[in-house]
Amino acid sequence: MSEQNSKNQRLLGLFPLNWRFDLASLPGVRWLLKQRWFPMIVILINMFIFIVILMSGIMGGFSSGNYSFGIMFVWILWWVLLMMLLVPVLSRTWCMMCPLPSFGEWLQRLRIFGVNNKLGGLNLKWPRRLSNMWVMNFLFLGTTFFSGFFTVKPLVTFYLLGGIIVMGIVLSLIFEKRSFCLYVCPVSGFQGLYANMAMTEIRVKDPNICAKHKKKTCETGNKKGYGCPWLLEPHSLKRNTYCGMCLECFKTCPFDNMAFNIRPPGTDLLVNEKRGLDEAWKSFIMIAIAIMFYVAMMGPWGWIKDWVRGNTLTGWLKFISVHTAFALVIIPGIFFVFSFLSKLFSGSKEVRLKAVFVNLSYCLIPMGLASWIAFSFGFLLPNGSYILHILSDPFALGWDLFGTANIPWTPVATGWLVPLQFITLFAGYLVAADYGYKLSLQTYTDPAAAKRGFIPLLVLLTLVVIAFGWLYGG
Amino acid sequence: MNNKITVAIIIMLTLGVFTWLANYGWKNRYGSPETYEVIAPEVVTVGYYAEDLALKEADVFAQIWQKLPSAEIVLSHQIIEQPWPKGSTPLVKVQAFHNGKDIFFRMTWNDDQADTAVSIHAFVDGCAVAVPLDAEAPVRSIMMGFSSPVNIWQWQANKDMQHWQGKTGVPDLDVDFVYPFEEKEIFSVSIPEVKSAVTDLLAQRAGSLTQKETQAVQGRGIWRNGIWNVVFKRSLITNDSEQDCQFIGRKQMAAFAVWDGDQGDRGSRKSMSEWVNLQIEPAESKKSAENQLLDDNNITSVHKVSWIDKLRSLSLISTAYGETLENQSVQINKEPRLINLIAKRFEYTPNRISIRKGERVTIRMESLDVTHGFYLDGYGIDIKARPGLIGKATFVADKSGRFSFRCSETCGEFHPYMIGFIEVSPNSRFSFFVWSIGITFVVMLGLVLLKGKQEKGIETNVGTEQ
């Protein structure tokens, strides 16, 4: 492929994929990104909020979650922000400000703001076999088994978040740097995957400068900052997936060679680096969970709700079994059939089926993200007004801190809910099909074969979007 | 210290703190323990006064009532028997005295209209005094069962009209009382002669209310300026201790109830008090009325009823029935299609409702457990259904598509997920969506297949990779 041809690539034929604007080129932004207290100050603010969340969880017990600060803040505000704004626009910015692993990191560094590159703890290497998304896949799927508990019972939200914090501390003391965030945190995996769709990225400005820089302080650290806590090589960063946007590379780079780019969404989908079955399955799991969450939480079927909330142990076990089979077997199985058809239609013999399966699975990322954004509208519009109440009375003690404690439940624009969901799904379908075509071109050596191989994929995406449309408003 | 030991200690400490917090949360999962003060029953003093009232109209407002202390007794509507009320009477003022021979009670309460006649869908005002036969019986919640049989004196406005004024309240009610060809009534059981405005009753637990063979209580009520004033009179001691309560000792219990006819109160639908202690002063103590009135401690003020409580009692009316005003005129003359909806935690039955666009429908919702709501997306209809009360809304389905209806009253943990669907057909929004996808599919397929210039694969993120 000629460089000229590559640079002419456009998203939906409109937006050039090579367009970038470096936010850090603005002096104020660059200054901010290089400060040691940033983003720590944001983490500390978030930590205060999470302490309130945890306290409301302990105090809230099994009471109704819609009047719990923890439940509303985490599962309405945070989750919706994550899916609708933070990940699709700002990549893994949440990881930048996440307070959950901070205790562990502080214990490693024995500093909060300062720099101490001689890290404490055992600093063991994370097992190579587990250096992928599989642990996160299973942990995240396992977490959703309890979705009928932690999204409604404040105490269970405490157990979940508290458990993540404890796990973060323990693993940070045993393994090096952010191994916990990279390979274990249940929230990390899908953020990494969907961050491929983000409209921002951290990259080097000029690779030649990095090539000449022998010390590689972005990896090793210096007096101004830590070597990449996410165990990456910032000088050759190509995808958002594993970059936690901690901004240490901005501080350690002596040449100011790091950029905080705005870009067209989804360009990382075309980067063939570290692609694997683990990430493919993450896509399948996310789509399966979106469907399951909708059916259980926004569907009308009471018997499924009884299963999910563990009304009977047998029902709950049925839910786990069906959900697991759906996420790990049925959806991947369907995708496998269409991958097989793609290879069959393409007529290509030299491309391995596994490569087709893995490569094409990346076009499910825009589709999955769109389904999650559409799902999030269904949470936000009807239930967003609860947030005003819990802000004024976070512990249900009858407080009225901001004068909003008595605001009644007020659904907002729910008449527009289904049209908004349809529009979101349609946009996701367009982007998914566009990247699907580009991925097909990337997978098959012969462009004619790629076009033929794209047809089953387009059929699958069409069926998927109609299925989601039917589920959300059909 | 060895690095491994340090790490182990920190991990143990972390796990310990988390376990302690988790355990604290688990222990208090149904709420933190709180101490409540047991509120002692209110006291109504039954003083001794050498007064006798013949229950003439003036006796209801006799001078003695101006002197006596008044106890404000809080009432709440009974919730055991369904259906529940449209409204309630929040409090009643009670005064009492005895003259060594008879005991008198006067109950006064606010009621904006006097309901004195029974007809279809019209009920009368009333009030009652209940006194257990066994003065030492343990206190229990009234509607949950009595500890002993209870003597109930029920005053009713229609009987008062008949007894004291000779009016039936309903002109045609006694049309059959005397057949035209008979000079004398022969079916005397059809309408018993009213000998008192008060019915003397017996009961032991709900559903056992029985009229006594002998009627020993007299009473009279006057409605004036939006206030009912009802006086009861009975001898302190009767000959029938098996069926009549006796005021022998210094203590007795009593409860009070009020029926508001225009709110639909009748039978067990009433506002009632908890048990109240009667402090009966013996006839020997000749304490003067003046001295009593100077003693502020004798004036028993029960709970203060705040304006918000009164407002809440009124709000029952507005939430029991909701109706959209929009678009009613479109098909106002057509009978709406009735859709019966059953709500229970955390689902509706039916959970999917299909209606045609333009159809006029009435949603009639009943709850089988706690209070549930029905909020319909896109239409803004919001109704409530308390157990035993029907929530209704009538509207014209003028917007097509699928709309969720969701519970608008916190009903438990899964409340936000209590959802159903209304499908107003044709679902043009979904059709439009499917058509859009279909056209896009065809266009994309065409573009891919017919594109003349062939592209080669893209290998990298072109923006940041060189």
Side-chain angles (χ1 to χ4, degrees):
Chain A
M1 179 181 61
S2 70
E3 191 175 318
Q4 190 59 38
N5 191 24
S6 169
K7 284 183 177 176
N8 286 338
Q9 291 302 313
R10 287 170 181 271
L11 176 61
L12 301 173
L14 300 170
F15 310 106
L17 291 182
N18 63 344
W19 178 83
R20 295 291 185 276
F21 175 73
D22 180 13
L23 275 175
S25 65
L26 304 171
V29 176
R30 176 158 296 278
W31 173 83
L32 181 69
L33 299 183
K34 290 180 76 70
Q35 299 307 306
R36 275 242 54 88
W37 50 264
F38 188 82
M40 187 52 70
I41 196 80
V42 188
I43 291 175
L44 291 174
I45 293 169
N46 260 338
M47 186 165 283
F48 170 74
I49 295 170
F50 267 73
I51 286 170
V52 177
I53 288 169
L54 291 171
M55 285 173 67
S56 74
I58 297 174
M59 294 165 73
F62 284 178
S63 55
S64 290
N66 51 314
Y67 285 114
S68 160
F69 185 88
I71 296 280
M72 284 297 118
F73 223 85
V74 173
W75 304 119
I76 301 290
L77 188 63
W78 173 72
W79 186 262
V80 167
L81 271 178
L82 204 62
M83 284 300 184
M84 297 180 82
L85 178 69
L86 292 177
V87 173
V89 178
L90 296 168
S91 187
R92 299 189 65 155
T93 326
W94 171 252
C95 297
M96 178 179 83
M97 61 178 95
C98 177
L100 302 181
S102 294
F103 295 107
E105 193 166 58
W106 293 342
L107 286 169
Q108 281 180 345
R109 297 174 174 179
L110 298 175
R111 303 278 191 285
I112 292 180
F113 290 100
V115 180
N116 172 23
N117 272 304
K118 193 181 176 184
L119 297 177
L122 302 183
N123 265 316
L124 301 180
K125 293 273 181 202
W126 183 257
R128 181 175 286 274
R129 281 191 174 184
L130 300 178
S131 298
N132 46 50
M133 280 199 180
W134 283 116
V135 174
M136 290 188 285
N137 284 350
F138 291 122
L139 269 179
F140 189 62
L141 182 64
T143 304
T144 60
F145 295 164
F146 302 92
S147 54
F149 303 94
F150 60 68
T151 61
V152 294
K153 295 178 196 283
L155 183 62
V156 187
T157 285
F158 166 79
Y159 288 154
L160 179 68
L161 296 179
I164 290 174
I165 291 172
V166 169
M167 205 158 37
I169 292 174
V170 172
L171 293 181
S172 297
L173 289 170
I174 297 172
F175 297 102
E176 61 178 337
K177 297 188 172 177
R178 292 283 194 118
S179 296
F180 164 74
C181 300
L182 267 171
Y183 304 118
V184 181
C185 175
V187 188
S188 175
F190 76 81
Q191 281 193 85
L193 190 79
Y194 285 161
N196 288 310
M197 278 299 297
M199 296 165 71
T200 49
E201 63 182 14
I202 289 177
R203 298 288 188 274
V204 293
K205 285 193 277 194
D206 183 357
N208 295 324
I209 295 175
C210 295
K212 291 173 190 166
H213 183 217
K214 302 297 180 196
K215 285 188 177 177
K216 298 284 186 284
T217 46
C218 57
E219 283 183 61
T220 57
N222 57 19
K223 285 180 181 177
K224 295 194 172 177
Y226 292 92
C228 180
W230 290 74
L231 303 169
L232 298 175
E233 297 169 348
H235 52 81
S236 55
L237 195 58
K238 291 175 183 169
R239 297 171 73 200
N240 284 350
T241 312
Y242 299 100
C243 171
M245 307 187 91
C246 62
L247 306 176
E248 289 296 335
C249 51
F250 278 87
K251 298 164 179 60
T252 52
C253 180
F255 306 105
D256 265 359
N257 197 33
M258 298 309 295
F260 197 108
N261 290 326
I262 301 176
R263 67 179 197 186
T267 56
D268 283 355
L269 297 175
L270 302 175
V271 179
N272 191 358
E273 183 196 61
K274 281 192 180 179
R275 279 182 185 163
L277 290 172
D278 56 334
E279 294 187 4
W281 247 267
K282 175 56 85 180
S283 276
F284 305 141
I285 289 170
M286 289 308 291
I287 284 181
I289 292 172
I291 293 170
M292 187 282 288
F293 270 21
Y294 189 89
V295 168
M297 296 171 184
M298 296 187 195
W301 305 282
W303 58 275
I304 296 178
K305 294 179 202 296
D306 283 344
W307 278 16
V308 176
R309 71 189 181 97
N311 204 22
T312 60
L313 180 64
T314 318
W316 188 62
L317 293 175
K318 280 180 191 168
F319 156 65
I320 290 176
S321 310
V322 172
H323 179 40
T324 306
F326 189 58
L328 296 184
V329 181
I330 294 173
I331 287 190
I334 292 169
F335 190 78
F336 177 80
V337 169
F338 280 86
S339 300
F340 177 76
L341 288 173
S342 172
K343 186 172 183 310
L344 196 70
F345 272 53
S346 74
S348 172
K349 291 184 178 172
E350 60 269 30
V351 181
R352 292 172 59 214
L353 182 58
K354 184 184 173 186
V356 175
F357 182 85
V358 171
N359 284 358
L360 297 189
S361 73
Y362 282 81
C363 76
L364 292 180
I365 292 174
M367 196 66 255
L369 184 59
S371 71
W372 273 101
I373 293 172
F375 171 80
S376 301
F377 276 123
F379 254 88
L380 183 66
L381 300 185
N383 299 317
S385 61
Y386 284 127
I387 291 167
L388 296 173
H389 171 88
I390 54 99
L391 278 177
S392 275
D393 190 12
F395 303 116
L397 293 174
W399 296 356
D400 193 3
L401 297 177
F402 306 109
T404 56
N406 295 315
I407 287 180
W409 174 73
T410 311
V412 177
T414 45
W416 285 93
L417 175 57
V418 172
L420 279 171
Q421 289 174 320
F422 283 165
I423 291 167
T424 311
L425 287 174
F426 185 73
Y429 170 68
L430 282 180
V431 177
D434 189 56
Y435 276 114
Y437 179 58
K438 289 178 168 63
L439 286 163
S440 185
L441 285 169
Q442 197 180 59
T443 304
Y444 299 104
T445 50
D446 174 23
K451 288 179 179 181
R452 291 194 301 273
F454 172 63
I455 294 171
L457 186 64
L458 184 63
V459 171
L460 174 66
L461 288 172
T462 307
L463 293 175
V464 168
V465 77
I466 289 175
F468 268 113
W470 173 82
L471 189 65
Y472 289 180
Chain B
M1 196 185 293
N2 186 307
N3 196 23
K4 284 183 182 174
I5 294 173
T6 311
V7 166
I9 289 172
I10 296 172
I11 289 174
M12 295 300 287
L13 277 173
T14 306
L15 290 173
V17 170
F18 179 67
T19 307
W20 182 79
L21 289 171
N23 187 46
Y24 176 85
W26 181 258
K27 276 185 176 173
N28 298 315
R29 64 192 182 280
Y30 295 116
S32 302
E34 287 183 35
T35 307
Y36 289 95
E37 222 176 292
V38 178
I39 300 170
E42 298 301 337
V43 177
V44 173
T45 305
V46 186
Y48 169 79
Y49 295 89
E51 293 258 359
D52 195 12
L53 302 176
L55 298 188
K56 294 174 184 170
E57 186 171 341
D59 289 339
V60 177
F61 303 99
Q63 194 65 29
I64 180 76
W65 300 118
Q66 312 307 317
K67 297 175 182 174
L68 283 177
S70 170
E72 292 185 344
I73 308 292
V74 172
L75 304 179
S76 56
H77 212 281
Q78 71 85 18
I79 52 167
I80 308 300
E81 289 291 313
Q82 293 180 350
W84 287 358
K86 287 191 285 183
S88 63
T89 305
L91 79 122
V92 60
K93 290 180 182 175
V94 176
Q95 296 165 292
F97 75 95
H98 73 93
N99 56 17
K101 181 181 164 223
D102 296 319
I103 186 167
F104 299 87
F105 288 92
R106 188 172 88 146
M107 294 172 66
T108 53
W109 70 95
N110 293 334
D111 190 346
D112 53 6
Q113 74 176 61
D115 305 302
T116 57
V118 178
S119 68
I120 296 168
H121 296 310
F123 309 97
V124 294
D125 295 334
C127 67
V129 180
V131 183
L133 297 188
D134 179 4
E136 302 298 322
V139 174
R140 289 190 189 173
S141 173
I142 292 168
M143 291 301 289
M144 296 302 288
F146 300 116
S147 301
S148 79
V150 173
N151 190 187
I152 298 169
W153 312 340
Q154 186 187 24
W155 172 88
Q156 288 173 298
N158 59 332
K159 288 191 175 178
D160 194 284
M161 295 278 285
Q162 290 171 51
H163 180 68
W164 293 104
Q165 299 178 40
K167 296 177 185 172
T168 62
V170 181
D172 298 332
L173 190 65
D174 55 354
V175 67
D176 294 333
F177 190 76
V178 177
Y179 284 99
F181 50 86
E182 291 171 342
E183 290 183 358
K184 222 177 164 186
E185 159 64 17
I186 55 171
F187 296 115
S188 58
V189 292
S190 60
I191 294 184
E193 185 184 354
V194 177
K195 294 179 178 173
S196 169
V198 178
T199 311
D200 202 354
L201 301 155
L202 265 178
Q204 185 164 12
R205 299 187 176 85
S208 64
L209 193 66
T210 310
Q211 188 165 326
K212 279 176 57 224
E213 290 173 9
T214 54
Q215 297 290 300
V217 190
Q218 290 292 329
R220 181 158 200 174
I222 305 285
W223 184 84
R224 186 176 287 175
N225 299 327
I227 296 173
W228 269 116
N229 305 268
V230 177
V231 174
F232 293 88
K233 175 184 180 182
R234 209 208 70 175
S235 58
L236 282 167
I237 300 166
T238 69
N239 296 327
D240 190 357
S241 60
E242 287 189 5
Q243 294 202 344
D244 288 329
C245 60
Q246 308 293 328
F247 299 93
I248 299 170
R250 301 180 69 149
K251 285 185 179 176
Q252 183 55 283
M253 284 188 295
F256 303 92
V258 169
W259 285 261
D260 189 352
D262 67 302
Q263 293 296 319
D265 282 358
R266 72 273 194 191
S268 59
R269 297 185 214 183
K270 60 182 182 288
S271 301
M272 60 188 192
S273 74
E274 290 294 329
W275 287 116
V276 169
N277 278 340
L278 301 179
Q279 186 102 35
I280 305 167
E281 294 186 347
E284 297 80 50
S285 69
K286 306 277 183 183
K287 192 177 178 183
S288 69
E290 286 76 14
N291 286 341
Q292 283 186 48
L293 290 171
L294 288 171
D295 185 359
D296 286 340
N297 293 328
N298 281 345
I299 300 172
T300 309
S301 176
V302 191
H303 304 291
K304 292 266 165 63
V305 180
S306 67
W307 63 271
I308 204 160
D309 288 333
K310 290 177 181 173
L311 201 65
R312 195 174 293 146
S313 69
L314 291 171
S315 70
L316 293 172
I317 301 165
S318 58
T319 52
Y321 187 85
E323 184 162 7
T324 53
L325 297 173
E326 293 174 9
N327 306 316
Q328 274 199 31
S329 59
V330 179
Q331 296 192 0
I332 199 75
N333 295 324
K334 282 191 179 178
E335 194 66 25
R337 179 182 150 201
L338 181 65
I339 295 166
N340 284 306
L341 200 63
I342 302 293
K344 66 172 186 178
R345 299 195 306 176
F346 299 97
E347 66 175 328
Y348 297 95
T349 307
N351 54 24
R352 292 175 77 103
I353 299 168
S354 296
I355 48 183
R356 292 185 309 278
K357 189 182 178 187
E359 200 173 358
R360 190 161 179 256
V361 292
T362 295
I363 301 289
R364 180 185 178 279
M365 187 171 78
E366 191 175 352
S367 166
L368 295 186
D369 40 41
V370 298
T371 302
H372 290 289
F374 171 99
Y375 178 84
L376 181 57
D377 287 357
Y379 284 84
I381 296 163
D382 190 9
I383 54 176
K384 315 260 182 268
R386 290 178 172 79
L389 280 182
I390 305 297
K392 276 204 262 183
T394 301
F395 65 100
V396 175
D398 58 345
K399 297 168 195 160
S400 64
R402 196 187 81 188
F403 300 90
S404 294
F405 54 89
R406 50 189 89 241
C407 186
S408 54
E409 283 287 301
T410 301
C411 59
E413 58 183 30
F414 245 57
H415 155 71
Y417 307 145
M418 186 170 165
I419 288 172
F421 293 156
I422 281 188
E423 292 152 354
V424 183
S425 59
N427 189 346
S428 52
R429 299 194 303 194
F430 183 60
S431 301
F432 180 74
F433 174 74
V434 172
W435 273 105
S436 305
I437 296 291
I439 290 167
T440 311
F441 171 77
V442 172
V443 169
M444 281 199 282
L445 200 62
L447 282 174
V448 168
L449 293 179
L450 303 175
K451 207 171 182 182
K453 189 181 174 183
Q454 293 185 342
E455 294 177 77
K456 279 199 78 177
I458 307 150
E459 289 166 358
T460 57
N461 175 351
V462 294
T464 54
E465 292 185 79
Q466 303 296 316

